[in-house]
């Protein structure tokens, strides 16, 4: 038997996972170890399930990141949202019924503003990081001449083509946009895990009532957790940051997301979760 994290924060990207993870890590949960030549953000998110070459290194490799047997461990990789089957298979292989003891937390954000936040994150990196620090993921916002697309351009060239495919685990261009197809992903998690193992949270509530979200998480995990949950810790603000999507961009994303959101509300209504979960789940204000 190998020991794996008892909590997985699976996403969504740009929906407050860093804030929740920081609170839990600061209270004593074990962080993933960062191995040689890895970026420092691996101390929050191990990227085992979503990166093939990590996943192919196997169970013992993943478990070796969490060495303190005295502390409960946490992995907060937001890309895990689209890899429910890999999580199930790995935890089953680990033994000791860990697959049925795992606590899963997912935070959902209005897909339009989540997409805008993704764009701002990538654009900020392209403007401020050295070229050697940029990945193809960051460069999705760059034109062929290296300048930064507008958000409208990004929506037309990256978001819309990505949302038009059903390949949820496609790791190519626009993969992060597909995280917003929440119903598709959660349906798989609900199929593979007991619904009471999965706490679905609202990003809007995290921003407006963090203490309420903190209480939900403590009740879900069955323990008091020290410290305070801060609703915002990522502050890559600059004068270039786009604060509001244009009507054109919003309507484009909404044209695809509206029926997906309706499926999400229906899925959550038909599959009620643990008692502390917000019910009914608040509708996104598109």
């Amino acid at each position: 038997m190998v020991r794996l994290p008892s909590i997985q924060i699976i996403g969504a990207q740009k929906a407050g996972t860093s804030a929740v993870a920081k609170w839990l890590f600061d209270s004593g949960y074990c962080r993933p170890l960062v191995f040689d030549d890895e970026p420092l953000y691996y101390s929050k998110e191990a990227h085992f399930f979503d990166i093939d070459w990590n996943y192919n290194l196997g169970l013992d490799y993943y478990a070796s990141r969490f060495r303190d047997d005295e502390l409960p461990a946490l992995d907060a990789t937001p890309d895990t949202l689209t890899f429910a089957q890999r999580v199930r298979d790995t935890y089953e292989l680990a033994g000791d019924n860990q697959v049925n003891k795992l606590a899963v937390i997912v935070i959902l954000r209005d897909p339009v503003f989540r997409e805008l936040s993704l764009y701002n994150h990538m654009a900020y990196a392209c403007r401020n990081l050295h070229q050697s620090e940029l990945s193809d993921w960051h460069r999705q916002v760059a034109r062929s001449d290296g300048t930064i697309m507008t958000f409208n351009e990004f929506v037309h060239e990256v978001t819309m083509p990505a949302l038009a495919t059903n390949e949820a685990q496609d790791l190519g261009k626009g993969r992060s946009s597909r995280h917003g197809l929440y119903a598709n992903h959660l349906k798989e998690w609900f199929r593979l895990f007991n619904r009471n193992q999965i706490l679905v949270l609202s990003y809007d509530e995290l921003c407006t009532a963090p203490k309420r979200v903190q209480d939900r998480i403590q009740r879900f995990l069955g323990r008091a957790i020290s410290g305070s949950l801060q609703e915002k810790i990522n502050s890559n603000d600059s004068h270039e940051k786009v604060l509001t999507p244009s009507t054109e961009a919003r309507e484009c994303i909404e044209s695809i997301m509206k029926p997906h959101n309706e499926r999400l509300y229906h899925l959550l209504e038909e599959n009620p979760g643990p008692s502390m979960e917000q019910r009914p789940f608040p509708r996104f204000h598109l």
Side-chain angles (χ1 to χ4, degrees):
M1 191 273 289
V2 295
R3 174 180 172 270
L4 297 181
S6 58
I7 305 171
Q8 291 280 345
I9 300 178
I10 62 171
Q13 279 185 345
K14 310 309 294 178
T17 62
S18 293
V20 174
K22 183 179 187 304
W23 169 53
L24 294 175
F25 287 137
D26 287 350
S27 74
Y29 280 85
C30 178
R31 289 180 176 271
L33 293 176
V34 180
F35 296 153
D36 291 343
D37 300 321
E38 289 182 337
L40 288 178
Y41 63 76
Y42 270 51
S43 67
K44 173 209 167 204
E45 47 198 75
H47 287 279
F48 176 73
F49 300 104
D50 63 298
I51 296 180
D52 286 346
W53 66 265
N54 274 342
Y55 185 71
N56 291 335
L57 289 171
L59 174 64
D60 289 337
Y61 167 78
Y62 183 47
S64 70
R65 290 188 182 272
F66 306 94
R67 293 180 179 168
D68 192 335
D69 292 334
E70 299 302 316
L71 296 174
L74 160 67
D75 184 356
T77 305
D79 305 81
T80 303
L81 178 62
T82 61
F83 292 90
Q85 187 67 61
R86 285 186 172 184
V87 175
R88 175 81 196 187
D89 292 346
T90 301
Y91 275 77
E92 281 188 335
L93 186 61
D96 196 33
N97 201 33
Q98 291 182 79
V99 69
N100 294 315
K101 299 174 183 176
L102 175 65
V104 176
I105 296 173
V106 60
I107 311 166
L108 306 183
R109 182 179 186 178
D110 179 321
V112 174
F113 281 91
R114 196 192 72 87
E115 196 69 13
L116 179 61
S117 184
L118 275 172
Y119 165 83
N120 281 322
H121 180 90
M122 295 174 185
Y124 179 90
C126 286
R127 292 187 182 105
N128 293 279
L129 297 182
H130 189 272
Q131 285 298 311
S132 64
E133 299 177 277
L134 296 175
S135 66
D136 289 341
W137 185 83
H138 295 108
R139 294 190 181 95
Q140 292 178 86
V141 297
R143 302 186 185 100
S144 57
D145 63 0
T147 58
I148 306 300
M149 296 177 186
T150 65
F151 183 56
N152 279 19
E153 289 177 281
F154 179 78
V155 167
H156 285 289
E157 296 188 24
V158 178
T159 307
M160 298 304 285
L163 293 179
T165 179
N166 290 322
E167 297 299 321
Q169 293 183 2
D170 182 349
L171 297 182
K173 191 173 184 180
R175 66 186 186 273
S176 295
S177 298
R178 287 187 288 277
H179 288 204
L181 303 174
Y182 301 134
N184 293 3
H185 309 313
L186 289 181
K187 184 178 180 180
E188 186 72 355
W189 282 93
F190 295 173
R191 181 181 71 85
L192 293 170
F193 292 87
N194 185 301
R195 181 64 178 87
N196 285 320
Q197 291 179 253
I198 303 169
L199 177 65
V200 180
L201 297 171
S202 163
Y203 175 81
D204 287 344
E205 186 178 53
L206 175 62
C207 291
T208 60
K211 290 188 182 300
R212 195 177 305 154
V213 172
Q214 182 172 326
D215 178 65
R216 293 188 198 280
I217 294 172
Q218 289 180 111
R219 289 164 60 198
F220 176 61
L221 297 179
R223 59 184 295 182
I225 300 170
S226 62
S228 296
L229 176 56
Q230 303 298 318
E231 68 271 24
K232 183 178 180 180
I233 65 170
N234 292 325
S235 57
N236 293 338
D237 294 329
S238 70
H239 66 278
E240 293 104 343
K241 185 173 184 177
V242 180
L243 300 178
T244 306
S246 68
T247 299
E248 177 188 353
R250 186 176 66 250
E251 289 178 349
C252 279
I253 300 174
E254 184 178 337
S255 68
I256 290 182
M257 293 309 307
K258 212 168 186 180
H260 280 280
N261 291 341
E262 290 300 325
R263 285 196 286 273
L264 169 69
Y265 307 141
H266 180 74
L267 178 70
L268 293 174
E269 185 67 25
E270 293 295 309
N271 296 272
S275 61
M276 73 293 303
E277 193 171 277
Q278 192 172 7
R279 192 176 300 124
F281 187 84
R283 301 174 73 90
F284 303 123
H285 300 294
L286 293 178

